[in-house]
Amino acid sequence: MHATIIGGGRIGRGFVASLLKRNHVEITFFDTDQELVKNFEQHSSYTVHVLGNEKENTIINEYKINHINNSQAWADELTKTDIIFTAVGGKNLTSLGKIIGKNYQQALAREDVPSFILVTCENWMTPAEDLQQAIETQLADAEKYIFQRHVDITQAVIRASGTSAPNGEETINPLDTWVQDYWVLPVDGKRLQNHQKPNLQYFEFRDDFGEMLAQKIYTNNTSVALIAYLGYLKGINYVADAANDSDIEPILEMGYEEINQALIYSLGVSEESQLEFSRVAEAKYKDYSIVDEVIRIGRDPIRKLASDDRLIGPANMAMDAGVNPKAISLATAAAIYFDYPKDPSSVELKRIRETQGIDAVLEEVCGISKESTLANLIKESISELKEHQWIKGEA
């Protein structure tokens, strides 16, 4: 079996590559970063380290690497690949889809008809749909007909973390990466119309995939945002330190209760399923062996404060479920004051806040009326954080 991984970051070359190597699958990487491609070319192998369980480390070797714009490499790859995984970031799926579509079209012009499964491994709400739409913009109607009958596009939920080296651990090989000791990759099995489900250990091709992506995004992204933004206000550098902080931990517990009730009501998922999601997420963020910075999580607060994103979205779901989103409101208040100076989004958010006021942030950034119940909850939370001196320097 041959697999293609598009995106050589921590999830692609770490978690996904490790699962494939354990299944003795041949791997070819594609990436946009020329420096990363050079590192792959210069090293014949690298290690995926398992946090807290080094005996499970995986050596990745005998791989091929290509730049994403290498059309000859694409010509060769599309004829032999059985399954393609993307790990490029959801916002890059449109540009990636155009590249795949163009190369698929060129394959058809050579009278090749590539047939494969394409699995998105993205922290994104609608990755399979977005990728398919982008690919098909490059294809004529007759080409779309062939593509749709030979390629299945589906989506996976990434619940494991990929991180940099733990504190104090020296990195000799720049490709080495560290992953959480978690070995399940759920994939939407119902989206496979042209291919049988691959027989791969650790990969769960589930017909009951349902709302797992939304569950993951609103459980994990919401709770880690709460941890990171409150942790930033307290001057805490790392996610695990913030999650275990005596002041933040009870807010986090309240946050999971709000998230669980919101998603059970709004998504129609089972209580058992949702409680399992929150347990896994909480254990992950409290795990000191997983080194992640609150600044990395907090970056781009304007996007993360949008009406359908990780804070305002579940806060509204909670209110629809008759739940008062107190913890999520505190997290939102903290996000509004995330002012990391090296992040352009944070700088712009600070400018709006200081020149136009909180009401402008709520209406222009969060997309909610300044008179709404949720807006008042967030403003009350801002006052509370100021009272406790988490927000400093303002009356």
Side-chain angles (χ1 to χ4, degrees):
M1 187 175 192
H2 184 89
T4 310
I5 299 176
I6 308 174
R10 294 171 182 172
I11 293 301
R13 79 172 187 271
F15 181 63
V16 177
S18 183
L19 297 184
L20 291 170
K21 188 67 177 178
R22 288 162 179 246
N23 281 281
H24 309 290
V25 174
E26 267 187 352
I27 301 172
T28 296
F29 291 97
F30 283 82
D31 201 272
T32 60
D33 186 335
Q34 193 61 60
E35 187 64 29
L36 180 60
V37 171
K38 185 178 178 181
N39 281 332
F40 269 107
E41 291 172 341
Q42 291 177 345
H43 294 83
S44 60
S45 68
Y46 65 91
T47 302
V48 180
H49 300 264
V50 180
L51 293 161
N53 193 4
E54 288 284 319
K55 71 178 187 299
E56 292 293 331
N57 289 359
T58 307
I59 304 296
I60 310 296
N61 56 14
E62 299 180 346
Y63 50 77
K64 293 182 180 179
I65 177 68
N66 300 289
H67 191 273
I68 195 75
N69 292 331
N70 186 333
S71 57
Q72 183 55 55
W74 273 110
D76 295 338
E77 193 67 13
L78 289 179
T79 61
K80 68 180 180 181
T81 194
D82 300 295
I83 188 165
I84 298 176
F85 296 89
T86 78
V88 299
K91 63 183 180 181
N92 298 312
L93 286 171
T94 298
S95 58
L96 173 61
K98 291 177 180 179
I99 292 170
I100 295 173
K102 177 182 176 182
N103 283 285
Y104 196 89
Q105 184 181 56
Q106 291 174 353
L108 295 179
R110 295 188 302 269
E111 299 187 352
D112 295 329
V113 182
S115 181
F116 51 83
I117 297 169
L118 206 167
V119 183
T120 61
C121 300
E122 313 293 351
N123 191 30
W124 202 249
M125 197 67 77
T126 55
E129 291 92 334
D130 292 352
L131 184 59
Q132 179 138 5
Q133 183 177 9
I135 291 171
E136 292 185 358
T137 62
Q138 305 301 299
L139 305 175
D141 288 344
E143 294 165 339
K144 287 180 193 176
Y145 181 86
I146 296 170
F147 177 82
Q148 291 170 358
R149 280 151 185 78
H150 289 86
V151 178
D152 287 319
I153 300 181
T154 187
Q155 52 204 9
V157 174
I158 300 292
R159 300 179 71 180
S161 283
T163 76
S164 54
N167 290 334
E169 189 157 342
E170 185 179 358
T171 304
I172 298 173
N173 185 334
L175 293 177
D176 279 8
T177 190
W178 280 255
V179 298
Q180 183 184 1
D181 191 9
Y182 184 87
W183 301 104
V184 179
L185 184 63
V187 183
D188 190 344
K190 279 193 171 180
R191 288 180 174 271
L192 301 186
Q193 300 296 316
N194 305 301
H195 299 82
Q196 292 186 340
K197 297 173 183 176
N199 184 20
L200 293 169
Q201 189 179 7
Y202 311 112
F203 293 79
E204 294 182 349
F205 287 84
R206 299 177 55 160
D207 289 339
D208 64 345
F209 187 87
E211 298 290 346
M212 286 187 73
L213 269 173
Q215 275 186 281
K216 187 265 182 178
I217 287 172
Y218 285 133
T219 303
N220 290 50
N221 291 15
T222 302
S223 59
V224 77
L226 181 155
I227 294 164
Y229 289 126
L230 290 171
Y232 179 81
L233 290 185
K234 289 201 71 182
I236 299 172
N237 293 326
Y238 295 103
V239 169
D241 290 330
N244 288 287
D245 178 80
S246 60
D247 292 323
I248 295 175
E249 187 176 32
I251 302 174
L252 179 61
E253 296 295 334
M254 187 193 314
Y256 280 121
E257 291 180 13
E258 294 169 9
I259 293 165
N260 291 344
Q261 292 181 66
L263 299 191
I264 290 168
Y265 177 84
S266 297
L267 300 180
V269 298
S270 71
E271 181 177 5
E272 179 185 12
S273 168
Q274 182 53 37
L275 290 176
E276 192 267 342
F277 258 89
S278 61
R279 281 194 297 268
V280 170
E282 184 172 14
K284 172 178 174 178
Y285 299 131
K286 286 186 172 182
D287 187 342
Y288 287 105
S289 71
I290 301 175
V291 180
D292 207 353
E293 294 182 322
V294 300
I295 286 171
R296 187 191 75 80
I297 300 297
R299 285 179 186 273
D300 199 7
I302 289 178
R303 176 173 64 85
K304 293 169 183 176
L305 282 164
S307 60
D308 60 350
D309 214 282
R310 65 207 67 198
L311 294 169
I312 303 300
N316 280 320
M317 289 181 188
M319 296 182 72
D320 288 343
V323 176
N324 180 30
K326 172 64 175 175
I328 300 174
S329 296
L330 282 166
T332 306
I336 290 171
Y337 282 82
F338 181 77
D339 58 0
Y340 182 59
K342 294 183 180 180
D343 176 38
S345 176
S346 302
V347 173
E348 175 62 12
L349 179 61
K350 183 178 181 180
R351 185 195 68 77
I352 297 170
R353 190 183 73 239
E354 291 184 344
T355 61
Q356 300 178 53
I358 295 298
D359 284 347
V361 173
L362 294 171
E363 294 200 332
E364 296 177 17
V365 177
C366 302
I368 59 176
S369 166
K370 65 183 179 181
E371 307 294 342
S372 65
T373 301
L374 180 56
N376 287 325
L377 281 171
I378 294 168
K379 286 186 274 191
E380 288 170 9
S381 295
I382 290 172
S383 297
E384 184 176 334
L385 292 174
K386 288 180 177 180
E387 182 181 343
H388 289 87
Q389 292 295 300
W390 289 26
I391 296 174
K392 301 178 179 67
E394 295 195 19

